[in-house]
Amino acid sequence: MGQKRFEKQQKQWEQEVEKATSRFPERKDAFTTSSDIPVDRLYLPEDPDEHYVENLGFPGQYPYTRGIQPTMYRSRFWTMRQYAGFGSAKETNKRFRYLLEQGQTGLSVAFDLPTQIGYDSDDPMAEGEVGKVGVAIDSLKDMEDLFDAIPLDKVSTSMTINAPASVLLAMYIAVGEKQGVSKEKLTGTIQNDILKEYIARGTYIFPPKPSMRLITNIFEYCQQHVPKFNTISISGYHIREAGSTAVQEVAFTLANGMAYVDAALESGLKVDQFAPRLAFFFNAHNNFFEEIAKFRAARRIWAKMMKEHYGAENPKSWKLRFHTQTGGSTLTAQQPDNNIVRVTLQALAAVLGGTQSLHTNSRDEALALPTEESARIALRTQQIIAHESGVADTVDPLGGSYYIEELTDQIEKEVEAYIEKIKELGGAVQAIEEGYMQREIHQSAYEAQKRIESKEDIVVGMNEFQIDEELNAELLRVDEKLEHDQKKNVQNVRNTRDESKVNDTLSRLRNAAKDEKENLMPHILDAVKAYATVGEICNVLRDEFGEYTGM
Amino acid sequence: MDRNIRVLIAKPGLDGHDRGALVIAQALRDHGMEVIYTGLRQSPGQIARAAIQEDVDVIGLSSLSGAHRTLFPKVIAALKEQNAEDIPVIGGGVIPYEDIPYLEEQGIKKVFTPGTPTDTIARFIQELVDPDAKKVTEPPKKIAHIGIAVQKLDDVMSFYHDILGLKLKGIEEVPSEGVKVAFFEIGETSIELLEPMNDDSPIQKFIEKRGEGIHHIALEVQDIEERLKQYKNQDVPLIHETPKAGAYNSRIAFLHPKAANGVLYELCEHKGE
């Protein structure tokens, strides 16, 4: 029985390989080790049992434990996507062009906190924060500068933006139009994951209900007009950074994912209309094998959920595609060069876990934003893994390891128990409002801290193997003058635009916001094109939706 | 202090990273402090007002967004405006070392960088709020021994050794005190029998005045020198203001019996413990 199904799976996989390689040939005609030993595309058990057929199968096949593509990195490496952005749009534009020249294959925009929370740079709440953790975007004018001379039909752009995701997406669409690139051709991702903002990251604006509406509005709008854009990146990254365990990271992320699916279904969308555009974002921490198993387990759980629970029929809806970033909270301020080694191990875990794209952190991020040199080493780390280590030459090289498979099964079991618990609480939104996830994460964070302080956990260079060190590494500083300049810029935009058009579009947005049935995206797009600012648009929505004030 | 230390942990600005703030709040609570956490997105004015309303002894600021150079000094300024500049402010987060002198110049008492154990922060706060508490942060750990004055060791040794069955640790002469002592181990402490070696011995005087019996209680302590200075500052009557050599490679000093209404206490610090 097992054997028969296995042969059927294998045949199907071979056909898919055939199809995939005819479109994207593999990187080499033949892969070999240094000793000329041939490296196969995939290694399989000699005696596949029912458990194997049911839970592992073949890459590119349900439940995708061994990867979502039939040939994985034999055809194409993961996308090397370094998150960047600081200061002004013009300055960030220069860094983007530098990164593209260095061989980076996608852009990833970091916005400053005022932009992420919907304040203009001259808002009193923005004081001291302008351009600090990312680029300051106030109006379409800044977005035009940000992508100056970067053709939007040639790059895919990931934007870490959540509460005002609709506004920044609208700006991206508008820049595309000005470049002559139609909406249908735009590729990229908006993070747009508000639930983890309440849980862990903190850049929320509105209460959960209207926030969920904005998200489903985006799903619907993009499904019709921007079909190649990933409309959400459901993120475990920040949950992990806030101190969760690997199991909690997957459990809470997938629980949030279910909440978005439920909301979209409730708004009248069909699961296969939006599910193929859902993307995920995970962390890669230090516990090497656990991290690898975590990625494999997450794929399997999501696939089963989408197929069995939600009844999705399109295989694209079953596939959990994810971006990975190495773990910022694992970096130490002490002996920062050690962080290069940590990042290498974490990046390797992500690759062995089958990530679709990867950001590697820079060694100096426990101290400040990365310098250009540190950012280059981080990118080189990925390139070394890709081009020198050979780990990308066969699909899922650790599949079948007793340890990895047992860990994968165990993580799956524990994640399912958490998801069950969250269901009992009434779903992710309810659990968040009750502070359940927050408490669980905080408990894990505190226990981790105690283990470090009692030296039960050793952090090299921090609580053991310390040295007396000179602590004056060269760090990147954001010029304090920038805030002043950016304030002038936004005031300048306000003085030169057609004010009546701005008022008109904003009042139409306000009316649309009052009507729950109305999709807000077209109205936001109109306002953006009239050079209404992020702050102005968000303030209209604040008036209508109210603000979330935390627990 | 007759009440617990009260701490306000605050997140100025728009930064949403509060793992560190929450972990420190919890750790300080575990150190017996009362901690108020403001939640995210507090303006300097809100933080100052909260500190005053909550009558806190210290404010801890956390920032990981790079806005510390602007926001931390603003908190100090807001406290000044509201006549509360006596509330000390400490800070932490992702703060480059080169910014620390600037922040301290602006009135931040101390900046803790990533990797600082929470114990260190708790101790710093205790000392900041109550400088007198500095040296007695550690109370005496245990009773080192109970001293009993006897006229002749040979007359009583058999009671302790044969009847009670205690283990004799040793007999030693301490010429500086004019005594010969015998130590019997009992649990984690001991009984010390003291025999006067000559007529000038304080033990001889004690026996003449009050007869044989319990003479003193010795407390095991750390930092005996600092502690004696501290007690002196607190007007505790002392027999010895500086430590002297005791039995078994220890340093000892006696407090005056007036210090404890007639009970004679000895402080005792063993090296290598």
Side-chain angles (χ1 to χ4, degrees):
Chain A
M1 164 75 179
Q3 187 63 32
K4 237 192 183 144
R5 272 181 72 193
F6 180 80
E7 280 162 17
K8 200 175 147 219
Q9 285 179 339
Q10 186 160 20
K11 196 162 250 163
Q12 194 195 333
W13 174 68
E14 279 160 4
Q15 283 166 1
E16 278 161 9
V17 168
E18 186 66 38
K19 216 169 88 189
T21 51
S22 64
R23 279 174 61 214
F24 302 105
E26 291 188 337
R27 288 181 282 114
K28 296 177 185 173
D29 292 334
F31 291 85
T32 58
T33 69
S34 71
S35 328
D36 248 349
I37 299 170
V39 177
D40 289 351
R41 189 170 288 128
L42 183 67
Y43 291 86
L44 294 164
E46 273 174 18
D47 188 16
D49 55 11
E50 194 66 24
H51 178 269
Y52 182 90
V53 169
E54 190 67 32
N55 293 293
L56 284 110
F58 285 76
Q61 271 177 32
Y62 184 86
Y64 306 103
T65 312
R66 303 200 66 181
I68 61 163
Q69 292 126 358
T71 58
M72 287 302 288
Y73 310 133
R74 301 247 303 188
S75 297
R76 258 192 349 182
F77 291 125
W78 57 95
T79 303
M80 300 177 193
R81 194 192 295 278
Q82 300 294 91
Y83 185 49
F86 56 93
S88 69
K90 286 194 171 125
E91 220 174 326
T92 303
N93 176 266
K94 265 191 247 162
R95 174 74 73 100
F96 281 171
R97 291 205 233 167
Y98 170 81
L99 287 167
L100 291 170
E101 277 162 26
Q102 293 297 307
Q104 179 168 309
T105 44
L107 294 177
S108 177
V109 191
F111 296 97
D112 72 356
L113 286 167
T115 307
Q116 293 189 49
I117 305 174
Y119 293 116
D120 287 338
S121 296
D122 56 351
D123 191 297
M125 284 299 287
E127 198 176 0
E129 307 272 15
V130 176
K132 285 281 160 55
V133 302
V135 58
I137 299 291
D138 290 313
S139 72
L140 180 57
K141 175 76 182 56
D142 297 318
M143 205 71 161
E144 289 163 8
D145 290 342
L146 184 64
F147 292 102
D148 183 38
I150 299 172
L152 298 193
D153 53 348
K154 298 284 190 318
V155 293
S156 80
T157 304
S158 163
M159 293 189 269
T160 299
I161 194 75
N162 294 280
S166 51
V167 183
L168 276 295
L169 175 62
M171 286 184 177
Y172 193 76
I173 293 170
V175 172
E177 275 179 21
K178 294 210 163 186
Q179 287 188 0
V181 179
S182 69
K183 294 196 272 281
E184 290 72 21
K185 287 202 184 120
L186 297 176
T187 60
T189 307
I190 41 174
Q191 197 163 73
N192 201 22
D193 171 11
I194 199 67
L195 294 177
K196 65 93 176 52
E197 297 295 330
Y198 303 125
I199 297 176
R201 190 169 174 271
T203 70
Y204 41 73
I205 304 177
F206 316 112
K209 199 161 173 260
S211 295
M212 295 299 274
R213 171 188 172 189
L214 278 169
I215 291 167
T216 49
N217 282 177
I218 293 171
F219 286 1
E220 187 185 31
Y221 181 84
C222 288
Q223 188 249 325
Q224 289 165 11
H225 303 286
V226 203
K228 292 206 288 196
F229 223 83
N230 294 315
T231 49
I232 193 167
S233 172
I234 306 160
S235 306
Y237 185 84
H238 317 89
I239 290 171
R240 191 67 181 281
E241 287 301 288
S244 82
T245 63
V247 164
Q248 289 168 341
E249 178 191 354
V250 174
F252 298 164
T253 308
L254 298 189
N256 289 347
M258 294 178 76
Y260 295 123
V261 172
D262 291 336
L265 294 175
E266 214 168 294
S267 80
L269 292 169
K270 296 263 181 314
V271 65
D272 285 320
Q273 281 182 317
F274 62 89
R277 297 320 312 172
L278 304 178
F280 287 82
F281 174 22
F282 289 114
N283 208 315
H285 266 225
N286 285 331
N287 196 315
F288 190 67
F289 293 109
E290 183 183 38
E291 292 301 297
I292 298 165
K294 174 187 86 180
F295 299 123
R296 301 171 89 248
R299 265 196 301 272
R300 185 155 78 206
I301 302 165
W302 185 250
K304 286 185 181 169
M305 217 141 76
M306 292 311 290
K307 189 173 180 219
E308 285 160 24
H309 180 71
Y310 288 110
E313 286 166 10
N314 184 349
K316 282 184 181 157
S317 300
W318 305 337
K319 288 181 192 176
L320 181 143
R321 296 169 299 132
F322 67 100
H323 173 69
T324 306
Q325 180 169 338
T326 57
S329 62
T330 67
L331 304 182
T332 62
Q334 299 78 15
Q335 304 177 45
D337 284 350
N338 293 347
N339 292 327
I340 298 174
V341 183
R342 293 192 179 97
V343 167
T344 307
L345 282 167
Q346 295 163 3
L348 188 58
V351 168
L352 292 171
T355 194
Q356 275 59 62
S357 61
L358 179 60
H359 167 106
T360 31
N361 287 333
S362 298
R363 60 184 165 174
D364 45 4
E365 287 185 55
L367 295 167
L369 292 173
T371 61
E372 198 157 283
E373 194 200 350
S374 303
R376 190 179 60 239
I377 294 172
L379 176 59
R380 293 290 180 260
T381 303
Q382 293 198 42
Q383 291 164 333
I384 290 168
I385 291 173
H387 296 279
E388 299 184 18
S389 75
V391 296
D393 290 352
T394 184
V395 178
D396 188 31
L398 293 180
S401 144
Y402 299 125
Y403 182 38
I404 282 286
E405 296 304 348
E406 173 62 29
L407 271 178
T408 306
D409 291 350
Q410 199 58 37
I411 289 172
E412 180 180 18
K413 217 181 281 169
E414 291 189 20
V415 166
E416 279 170 351
Y418 258 121
I419 288 177
E420 216 34 61
K421 166 91 193 171
I422 291 166
K423 269 189 204 159
E424 279 166 28
L425 291 172
V429 178
Q430 187 69 26
I432 289 166
E433 285 182 331
E434 284 171 20
Y436 170 70
M437 282 120 144
Q438 295 91 315
R439 278 196 304 278
E440 289 286 304
I441 294 167
H442 176 59
Q443 186 64 29
S444 300
Y446 192 53
E447 280 163 12
Q449 178 68 20
K450 285 205 287 201
R451 284 197 305 275
I452 289 171
E453 294 192 3
S454 67
K455 294 197 186 184
E456 193 184 322
D457 286 358
I458 298 297
V459 181
V460 173
M462 192 182 88
N463 68 358
E464 194 74 283
F465 316 112
Q466 298 104 319
I467 52 169
D468 281 328
E469 54 189 323
E470 288 274 317
L471 299 165
N472 53 3
E474 194 194 314
L475 300 171
L476 181 133
R477 321 249 14 164
V478 175
D479 191 350
E480 305 281 334
K481 195 173 148 284
L482 176 116
E483 183 158 329
H484 176 78
D485 293 349
Q486 185 65 23
K487 278 186 194 175
K488 278 220 301 237
N489 286 348
V490 62
Q491 282 154 7
N492 214 14
V493 167
R494 286 204 204 97
N495 292 334
T496 52
R497 65 190 181 181
D498 179 348
E499 206 60 25
S500 65
K501 214 169 154 194
V502 172
N503 291 336
D504 183 42
T505 53
L506 287 180
S507 76
R508 274 190 282 134
L509 173 62
R510 184 183 300 277
N511 288 334
K514 291 182 204 294
D515 178 0
E516 277 182 37
K517 296 268 175 304
E518 187 80 16
N519 191 319
L520 295 179
M521 267 309 287
H523 303 283
I524 292 171
L525 189 57
D526 288 345
V528 159
K529 285 185 190 167
Y531 290 86
T533 62
V534 173
E536 289 162 345
I537 295 170
C538 289
N539 282 339
V540 165
L541 298 178
R542 276 188 181 97
D543 284 349
E544 297 305 319
F545 295 159
E547 284 187 79
Y548 183 76
T549 51
M551 267 1 110
Chain B
M1 295 204 57
D2 50 3
R3 60 163 203 171
N4 293 335
I5 294 175
R6 289 170 68 80
V7 186
L8 184 77
I9 297 290
K11 291 283 303 174
L14 304 180
D15 178 33
H17 298 87
D18 63 355
R19 172 179 181 172
L22 289 168
V23 163
I24 282 167
Q26 177 89 45
L28 296 181
R29 284 188 194 111
D30 284 359
H31 277 85
M33 300 182 197
E34 285 172 34
V35 183
I36 300 108
Y37 173 52
T38 59
L40 301 179
R41 294 193 211 163
Q42 301 294 305
S43 70
Q46 285 174 316
I47 292 170
R49 272 195 299 283
I52 293 163
Q53 271 164 17
E54 296 286 351
D55 190 22
V56 299
D57 303 296
V58 59
I59 301 171
L61 301 177
S62 159
S63 172
L64 287 79
S65 72
H68 52 273
R69 282 180 71 96
T70 308
L71 295 175
F72 285 13
K74 293 230 163 192
V75 173
I76 302 275
L79 286 168
K80 268 201 192 113
E81 254 168 51
Q82 305 185 35
N83 296 320
E85 64 263 46
D86 57 316
I87 305 177
V89 180
I90 59 176
V94 175
I95 293 174
Y97 293 102
E98 61 195 73
D99 285 354
I100 294 174
Y102 170 77
L103 294 175
E104 290 180 349
E105 213 173 275
Q106 296 294 310
I108 303 293
K109 284 276 182 289
K110 176 105 181 159
V111 174
F112 295 99
T113 49
T116 309
T118 51
D119 273 351
T120 307
I121 298 169
R123 209 169 328 122
F124 181 85
I125 291 174
Q126 277 156 354
E127 290 166 10
L128 185 67
V129 172
D130 184 8
D132 288 345
K134 190 166 184 170
K135 279 97 196 182
V136 287
T137 41
E138 288 275 307
K141 283 195 288 195
K142 62 173 191 182
I143 290 176
H145 60 259
I146 293 169
I148 296 170
V150 299
Q151 194 63 62
K152 276 201 90 50
L153 281 176
D154 288 349
D155 292 347
V156 293
M157 289 287 277
S158 82
F159 171 76
Y160 292 97
H161 189 264
D162 302 333
I163 306 293
L164 295 181
L166 297 176
K167 190 177 160 214
L168 177 65
K169 198 172 159 195
I171 298 178
E172 196 174 327
E173 292 189 354
V174 186
S176 62
E177 286 291 300
V179 291
K180 188 173 163 189
V181 298
F183 277 98
F184 287 94
E185 286 181 6
I186 175 163
E188 58 166 17
T189 182
S190 0
I191 289 172
E192 181 192 37
L193 304 180
L194 305 120
E195 175 194 80
M197 288 164 69
N198 50 53
D199 286 348
D200 294 335
S201 164
I203 295 301
Q204 185 57 42
K205 286 178 186 150
F206 176 87
I207 292 173
E208 279 165 15
K209 231 165 121 184
R210 301 170 67 165
E212 290 178 300
I214 292 182
H215 175 258
H216 70 268
I217 295 173
L219 305 173
E220 185 73 42
V221 298
Q222 285 177 322
D223 305 326
I224 188 164
E225 248 155 297
E226 283 298 311
R227 197 176 294 261
L228 285 168
K229 274 188 218 156
Q230 160 101 33
Y231 288 172
K232 196 182 165 210
N233 286 341
Q234 291 175 318
D235 295 326
V236 178
L238 303 176
I239 293 175
H240 304 116
E241 290 190 3
T242 51
K244 45 198 289 182
Y248 293 103
N249 202 20
S250 64
R251 295 195 306 155
I252 60 145
F254 281 91
L255 311 186
H256 196 278
K258 273 193 283 186
N261 290 25
V263 180
L264 180 61
Y265 278 100
E266 176 189 346
L267 302 183
C268 179
E269 179 171 29
H270 283 91
K271 285 201 187 108
E273 272 197 19

